[in-house]
Amino acid sequence: MTSRPFFIDTDTASDDAVALVMALRHADVDVVGIGVVAGNVPLDQAVQNALYTCELCERDEVPVYAGEAAPLSIPLETAQNVHGTDGMGDIGLPLAGRRPDSAHAVDALLEASHQHAGDLTLVTLGPLTNVARALERDATLPDRIARTVTMGAVADHIGNITPVAEFNMWADPHAVAQVLASGLDVEFVGWDISRHFAVIEPALAGELRSIGTPLAEFCVDIQCTVAEFCESETKLAGFDLPDPIAMAYAIDPLVATETLHLNLKVEVGSGLTRGMVVMDLLGLTGGEPNAQVVSAADRERFIAMLRSALT
Ligand code: BDR
Ligand code: CA
């Protein structure tokens, strides 16, 4: 199999880093660029986290581009209460002083879409701000993208940042609206998929860590603040890995065991349902399907891919 070009857009924090490791270490994937966006942490911190992760994977030749520092129309609100002040669990990693590529992430995405026209897989792991800006600049972008896989939304409408919204969609709902209207055939992997199929319980975390490689220790140790949040707030039996299961599906579509083709709309207002992606599961609105939604996944396949990336 020849390797497939991936452009990854990420607000790099603890679970994004694991997703990057999975892509950077997969033989069938050629990561042609990493665009960074503000989200979990401020932009500069996310850039440092992405650069550190590439270095740890011995892939420092992969270009990392800084992108948008704030959502399209609302102020940035980070998730440092979830991922730690540095986004990587505050375990004392040296996350400063590295330099990204001089190009902007939006320019880099557009450039990659020309260089790999018809072949490029775009994987988004953070707010959709960079992608929305790229669409504003060039509305023909969807014609050149083979697949877009997005970690975001919730098919069961149970949120992780508000009762009904998932963080990436909530952080920049105006960007979501632009993406949904753009003609990009987005494949959403929502937080419901993470909650049901990608929770790493303490025994499994211990087993993964005991693989004993620096990468295995890194990928488990940086989840420590997320693990506390999962215990106290989202009430999971361990830490969950939303971005890694989205990346696993981007690499191997068989990670999805059921996919729905649905009409999606996002609430951009500032009230109770901001960032809620309303999925018309029963076709009540009569709206044309505008996205694919993964509704069930193969946990064993995902864990096997994770294990192999850390080994
Ligand atoms: C998403 O938001 C962030 O906290 C994670 O990195 C993931 O992309 C989960 O809702
Ligand atoms: Ca993320």
Side-chain angles (χ1 to χ4, degrees):
M1 200 194 223
T2 54
S3 67
R4 290 162 290 158
F6 274 36
F7 191 98
I8 303 170
D9 192 86
T10 159
D11 57 337
T12 316
S14 48
D15 68 316
D16 301 67
V18 179
L20 290 179
V21 168
M22 292 178 78
L24 290 167
R25 290 181 51 80
H26 202 285
D28 298 340
V29 172
D30 176 18
V31 181
V32 298
I34 297 173
V36 182
V37 66
N40 288 324
V41 288
L43 179 67
D44 290 350
Q45 183 68 62
V47 167
Q48 291 300 320
N49 297 349
L51 287 164
Y52 181 85
T53 305
C54 288
E55 204 174 286
L56 204 64
C57 291
E58 298 179 4
R59 296 296 311 277
D60 11 7
E61 85 287 2
V62 173
V64 173
Y65 307 98
E68 296 296 311
L72 297 184
S73 317
I74 56 177
L76 174 67
E77 290 178 73
T78 64
Q80 284 159 295
N81 60 319
V82 181
H83 298 276
T85 305
D86 68 7
M88 305 285 258
D90 294 332
I91 58 171
L93 294 173
L95 299 168
R98 292 171 184 80
R99 290 169 69 94
D101 193 281
S102 57
H104 191 280
V106 172
D107 295 319
L109 169 57
L110 291 170
E111 175 59 26
S113 75
H114 284 287
Q115 264 194 19
H116 304 279
D119 284 335
L120 191 66
T121 294
L122 170 63
V123 184
T124 75
L125 306 175
L128 289 168
T129 322
N130 285 342
V131 181
R133 289 286 184 218
L135 289 163
E136 278 170 10
R137 291 258 304 279
D138 182 354
T140 68
L141 174 64
D143 302 343
R144 299 186 299 277
I145 304 279
R147 283 180 79 199
T148 304
V149 174
T150 287
M151 191 285 130
V154 270
D156 58 7
H157 298 116
I158 298 174
N160 62 353
I161 180 78
T162 75
V164 294
E166 177 280 327
F167 176 78
N168 290 339
M169 307 289 100
W170 174 87
D172 193 351
H174 301 88
V176 181
Q178 289 200 22
V179 169
L180 286 175
S182 70
L184 263 183
D185 187 20
V186 179
E187 300 165 54
F188 282 88
V189 182
W191 184 64
D192 52 316
I193 293 300
S194 182
R195 194 160 61 87
H196 292 304
F197 304 101
V199 173
I200 310 298
E201 301 86 359
L204 178 55
E207 189 205 308
L208 290 171
R209 196 177 188 285
S210 72
I211 290 171
T213 59
L215 270 178
E217 290 172 10
F218 166 74
C219 286
V220 171
D221 291 350
I222 60 176
Q223 311 304 330
C224 60
T225 54
V226 172
E228 286 166 18
F229 182 83
C230 291
E231 189 178 351
S232 65
E233 305 300 320
T234 47
K235 315 278 191 291
L236 303 179
F239 60 78
D240 70 320
L241 293 176
D243 293 340
I245 196 164
M247 183 61 77
Y249 167 70
I251 295 171
D252 179 2
L254 289 176
V255 167
T257 54
E258 185 184 72
T259 308
L260 307 172
H261 198 199
L262 299 175
N263 181 266
L264 269 52
K265 292 192 179 71
V266 63
E267 177 57 65
V268 297
S270 58
L272 195 58
T273 54
R274 164 185 152 188
M276 179 181 186
V277 176
V278 177
M279 302 196 180
D280 189 3
L281 290 152
L282 300 180
L284 297 175
T285 65
E288 283 294 309
N290 59 352
Q292 320 266 353
V293 177
V294 172
S295 50
D298 183 339
R299 174 178 168 85
E300 294 316 313
R301 190 176 280 263
F302 164 61
I303 300 295
M305 288 176 74
L306 179 60
R307 197 174 270 125
S308 120
L310 304 183
T311 301

